[in-house]
Amino acid sequence: MPTDKAYKLLAKAKCISHNLAKSLIDKGLVSSNGKKITIARLELPLSANFEVAEIKKPKVIFEDKQILALDKPPFIESYDLSDMFEGWSLLHRLDKQTSGVILLIQENSPFHLKAKEAFKKQAVYKEYICLLHGILADSITINKPISTIKKGFAKSRIDKNGLSAHTQLTPLSIVGKKTQAQAIITTGRTHQIRVHCQSINHPIVGDTLYGNTNDNAKRLMLHAHKIRLLDYEFVSLLPQEFHIG
């Protein structure tokens, strides 16, 4: 059976450039016959059909002179938000595939300094909702240090010599062999929740980096649900795909 590279077939099928086709695949937006394509150079039959997920635009949850709270869709880089909202700077970040509430501030303002200090002192409440593989029957506190290697892209691992990391997981509902859970973190290590969930053999659904590389979920099922900073509290409602059962 004749084959060709996935990005070339996608470019031809959607009448787009090779570079754009590679970018869409790298962002995790492309599926073929119900299976997510994660490797742009994957050999596929010439008859392959493609589905490309839509990237939604971020929505404003709240805005005043000090802070801008956004509802970030999946597949958008956090760093791109400052370009989308002129005059605002990123206060913290979410993984590209993670959705939910994210904060921007006016850089070098008095509030900016207070906000940075609150993050430094771990005085920020951060609550996520995630969908886990397997049945998590009871709440669990995970205190496992994490180190991160950044070579081309960031990847973290449990490391006794790493930085301290604290995650509290609480099961909310169980459907089939999956658990929807609340994750509360006080630290903010790179990929912290993903690494901690994988370390207890309950990787997040859709996490092909730390979970099953053959996971065909359309996205990483991790959502930043609530954040409380100084006198502010913001909530991002769960996307439709999180309503299970």
Side-chain angles (χ1 to χ4, degrees):
M1 179 185 297
T3 64
D4 204 348
K5 292 179 175 58
Y7 77 91
K8 292 183 178 180
L9 295 175
L10 176 63
K12 184 176 180 180
K14 301 298 182 181
C15 298
I16 57 178
S17 69
H18 285 177
N19 284 340
L20 178 55
K22 288 179 181 177
S23 176
L24 292 171
I25 292 172
D26 290 343
K27 288 178 179 178
L29 294 170
V30 181
S31 299
S32 179
N33 298 322
K35 294 190 65 174
K36 186 190 295 184
I37 305 299
T38 58
I39 302 173
R41 295 181 176 275
L42 180 70
E43 291 287 333
L44 292 176
L46 299 183
S47 59
N49 295 314
F50 295 96
E51 303 85 45
V52 181
E54 176 188 3
I55 300 180
K56 298 179 181 179
K57 294 182 179 179
K59 295 180 180 179
V60 175
I61 297 174
F62 176 86
E63 179 180 359
D64 66 10
K65 293 181 180 179
Q66 298 186 126
I67 196 165
L68 173 64
L70 299 177
D71 197 343
K72 184 186 93 66
F75 308 116
I76 289 181
E77 288 282 6
S78 295
Y79 298 111
D80 291 339
L81 295 172
S82 295
D83 296 330
M84 297 180 189
F85 295 86
E86 189 175 352
W88 294 95
S89 297
L90 198 64
L91 179 58
H92 62 117
R93 65 176 296 276
L94 299 174
D95 294 345
K96 180 171 63 178
Q97 291 192 52
T98 301
S99 56
V101 61
I102 189 169
L103 305 179
L104 286 77
I105 39 74
Q106 297 287 344
E107 196 166 7
N108 297 322
S109 66
F111 180 79
H112 181 198
L113 300 177
K114 290 180 182 179
K116 287 179 65 176
E117 188 65 17
F119 271 91
K120 184 177 180 180
K121 291 183 176 180
Q122 300 180 3
V124 181
Y125 177 84
K126 293 173 283 185
E127 177 185 326
Y128 293 71
I129 303 295
C130 52
L131 185 64
L132 308 177
H133 283 290
I135 296 174
L136 180 68
D138 300 302
S139 297
I140 183 173
T141 299
I142 307 171
N143 287 303
K144 297 180 180 180
I146 290 174
S147 63
T148 302
I149 297 175
K150 297 181 179 180
K151 290 184 178 179
F153 65 94
K155 188 169 184 180
S156 298
R157 63 186 179 92
I158 303 298
D159 179 1
K160 66 180 182 180
N161 297 316
L163 298 174
S164 63
H166 174 96
T167 302
Q168 174 70 38
L169 282 178
T170 302
L172 301 175
S173 62
I174 296 172
V175 177
K177 294 183 179 180
K178 294 182 175 66
T179 303
Q180 189 171 93
Q182 174 198 70
I184 297 174
I185 60 174
T186 52
T187 50
R189 310 306 176 201
T190 300
H191 301 166
Q192 176 177 322
I193 299 174
R194 298 165 65 180
V195 173
H196 273 173
C197 288
Q198 187 270 343
S199 77
I200 60 168
N201 298 316
H202 290 290
I204 298 175
V205 172
D207 193 344
T208 56
L209 184 59
Y210 298 102
N212 188 337
T213 55
N214 294 318
D215 194 326
N216 290 322
K218 291 185 177 179
R219 57 160 293 188
L220 175 71
M221 294 297 282
L222 179 62
H223 180 76
H225 178 53
K226 182 185 295 185
I227 190 166
R228 189 157 54 239
L229 168 70
L230 301 174
D231 295 326
Y232 292 96
E233 179 176 294
F234 306 109
V235 173
S236 170
L237 299 178
L238 285 179
Q240 183 61 41
E241 57 266 31
F242 281 78
H243 295 282
I244 61 175

